[in-house]
Amino acid sequence: EVQLVESGGGLVQPGGSLRLSCAASGFTLSSSSMNWVRQVPGKGLEWVSYISSSSISINYADSVKGRFTISRDNAKNSLYLQMNSLRAEDTAVYYCVRDFLRGGIFGVWGQGTLVTVSS
Amino acid sequence: EIVLTQSPGTLSLSPGERATLSCRASQSVSSSYLVWYQQKPGQAPRLVIYGASSRATGIPDRFSGSGSGTDFTLTISRLEPEDFAVYYCQQYGSSPWTFGQGTKVEIK
């Protein structure tokens, strides 16, 4: 069974840092492009970042560019999101998502991890 | 950035009825790169339709997608109890990939 499990969420103060991890199972991560998508509880969805299977292509939403860094370790079958200079507006559930067929079609989602930025 | 506007915000229908959800883009979505997701409370979204009209694996044929350019539609021909949820459209034709604000399909 294809599965994505996020971890690393929690409460952090404004200006702080957090690193999210996503463990993939049931498939070979190296063959898939991946994303992070976030959702403010009770609100809509926002794509955050994309990384190609080889890590050659990386994209970010303008709202996180320069503060967040996506990376992957195919040997560990894991995806990461390093979040620095966190703001209150970054508070959300962060989903690890596997692309289906091509970048931008979000085919498999993890259960999400909640990040709360508050003093 | 392409802005997607979904309507209506809430659709109140009874099981067995037909649901028609609209997604309008602020500019043309290239190659009909438009998807629909279903999200139930406490769950992650689930891919329903991609390429504007192709059903994802395991999605029943009562779900259909149509449209091109700036106007897209998700139709559920006969609502089943498990179909009541929030539906989001999203475009992947140009960066940044963007979502609509969602349509809630609720039981009347």
Side-chain angles (χ1 to χ4, degrees):
Chain A
E1 179 192 3
V2 172
Q3 196 171 11
L4 298 168
V5 179
E6 302 93 338
S7 60
L11 175 64
V12 61
Q13 292 189 338
S17 298
L18 213 53
R19 189 195 195 207
L20 304 184
S21 299
C22 171
S25 60
F27 70 102
T28 303
L29 188 72
S30 60
S31 63
S32 298
S33 54
M34 300 292 295
N35 302 268
W36 289 96
V37 175
R38 68 185 181 184
Q39 184 173 35
V40 175
K43 302 296 184 182
L45 298 159
E46 179 187 19
W47 166 77
V48 172
S49 184
Y50 161 88
I51 185 168
S52 62
S53 58
S54 61
S55 302
I56 288 178
S57 179
I58 289 177
N59 291 313
Y60 299 97
D62 284 347
S63 58
V64 306
K65 201 173 293 183
R67 300 186 299 123
F68 289 11
T69 302
I70 192 171
S71 63
R72 61 195 297 158
D73 186 335
N74 289 336
K76 294 183 177 180
N77 241 30
S78 293
L79 177 74
Y80 306 99
L81 186 68
Q82 177 66 43
M83 304 185 295
N84 298 331
S85 303
L86 283 161
R87 306 166 180 168
E89 55 264 35
D90 295 319
T91 295
V93 174
Y94 285 74
Y95 293 103
C96 169
V97 186
R98 178 192 182 193
D99 280 328
F100 170 71
L101 291 183
R102 55 152 285 164
I105 304 177
F106 304 135
V108 179
W109 298 64
Q111 87 288 350
T113 187
L114 177 62
V115 172
T116 303
V117 184
S118 175
S119 55
Chain B
E1 163 174 330
I2 295 180
V3 176
L4 299 178
T5 302
Q6 293 185 240
S7 62
T10 302
L11 203 48
S12 298
L13 295 168
S14 301
E17 289 193 294
R18 181 184 188 91
T20 303
L21 287 66
S22 173
C23 177
R24 179 161 292 177
S26 60
Q27 53 189 284
S28 184
V29 176
S30 60
S31 305
S32 295
Y33 286 162
L34 193 285
V35 298
W36 292 91
Y37 301 93
Q38 176 193 71
Q39 187 176 33
K40 297 179 181 180
Q43 297 184 16
R46 175 192 184 193
L47 178 65
V48 176
I49 297 286
Y50 63 95
S53 60
S54 298
R55 274 189 303 277
T57 304
I59 300 300
D61 61 7
R62 63 180 180 273
F63 288 86
S64 63
S66 62
S68 64
T70 60
D71 289 295
F72 298 87
T73 300
L74 174 69
T75 301
I76 311 171
S77 58
R78 295 171 309 278
L79 283 164
E80 296 288 339
E82 61 268 27
D83 300 336
F84 291 92
V86 178
Y87 292 84
Y88 294 94
C89 61
Q90 175 238 325
Q91 65 82 24
Y92 56 101
S94 65
S95 185
W97 300 322
T98 51
F99 291 87
Q101 82 280 14
T103 290
K104 182 180 182 180
V105 179
E106 65 175 21
I107 299 176
K108 186 175 181 180

